[in-house]
Amino acid sequence: MTITVRLNHELRTFNTDAQETLLHLIREKARLTGTKCGCDLGECGACTVILDGRAVNSCCVLAEQVNGREVETIEGIGTLEHPHPLQQAFMDAGAIQCGFCTPGMILSAKALLDHTPHPSRADIQKAMSGNLCRCTGYTKIIEAVELAAERMEKERG
Ligand code: FES
Ligand code: FES
């Protein structure tokens, strides 16, 4: 079947079949390789993207389910020259080592901050609970999300 998706704010059309996952479509057809495949089983969160405003594991969503919907990947939220405040905060707080988990972490955090601009530490822990990191431990990641929330608040004035 043919599907149309608003991918990173741009309407895109893809051919897909009943077995293809959103993760496969993003990486292999859209060639957006910032979305990582850690487990392909819904357990690690490395494949997290934002679907209609909610963080989802793209390995657990069929491509055909996103027909007519909006998908945001890490490539859609910032650039090297203009990183998203979350990307900058992850760098500044030392929340990145290998970086494999980082795109998914940042998208889970963005979905949280889009709906909850002043999250508690418990809110952040809950929002990030599906994202596994084997490098940094989680303290710096949580601090990075808090730092980004503070900076975004200042930017909003
Ligand atoms: S690759 Fe999707 S949750 Fe691990
Ligand atoms: S920075 Fe390596 S898995 Fe998180």
Side-chain angles (χ1 to χ4, degrees):
M1 71 180 284
T2 302
I3 61 168
T4 302
V5 187
R6 187 170 292 280
L7 180 57
N8 295 334
H9 318 292
E10 193 185 321
L11 269 189
R12 303 275 307 268
T13 299
F14 300 97
N15 287 321
T16 187
D17 58 49
Q19 277 85 44
E20 184 171 36
T21 63
L22 176 59
L23 173 60
H24 187 272
L25 180 135
I26 288 169
R27 287 184 55 86
E28 306 300 330
K29 293 188 177 158
R31 309 301 291 170
L32 296 172
T33 54
T35 304
K36 303 302 183 200
C37 180
C39 65
D40 225 4
L41 292 169
E43 288 177 0
C44 73
C47 65
T48 303
V49 299
I50 299 179
L51 173 60
D52 289 343
R54 286 189 47 234
V56 297
N57 289 329
S58 61
C59 70
C60 297
V61 175
L62 290 173
E64 64 180 18
Q65 291 177 289
V66 305
N67 189 24
R69 300 172 73 185
E70 173 139 20
V71 175
E72 229 177 335
T73 71
I74 193 71
E75 290 87 350
I77 74 159
T79 63
L80 268 183
E81 297 73 27
H82 300 288
H84 187 279
L86 276 162
Q87 293 171 311
Q88 189 63 53
F90 268 63
M91 290 187 274
D92 295 344
I96 299 174
Q97 285 188 30
C98 80
F100 197 83
C101 66
T102 309
M105 291 273 181
I106 287 177
L107 288 164
S108 289
K110 180 174 186 293
L112 170 69
L113 297 186
D114 284 349
H115 297 289
T116 310
H118 307 288
S120 65
R121 190 158 266 228
D123 292 334
I124 297 172
Q125 283 168 334
K126 186 166 172 227
M128 313 297 282
S129 62
N131 294 85
L132 306 184
C133 174
R134 56 178 69 188
C135 301
T136 64
Y138 294 93
T139 305
K140 287 179 186 305
I141 289 168
I142 290 164
E143 286 170 359
V145 179
E146 289 174 336
L147 179 61
E150 269 172 44
R151 288 177 175 171
M152 289 164 77
E153 176 65 21
K154 279 195 191 132
E155 273 176 23
R156 281 190 294 269

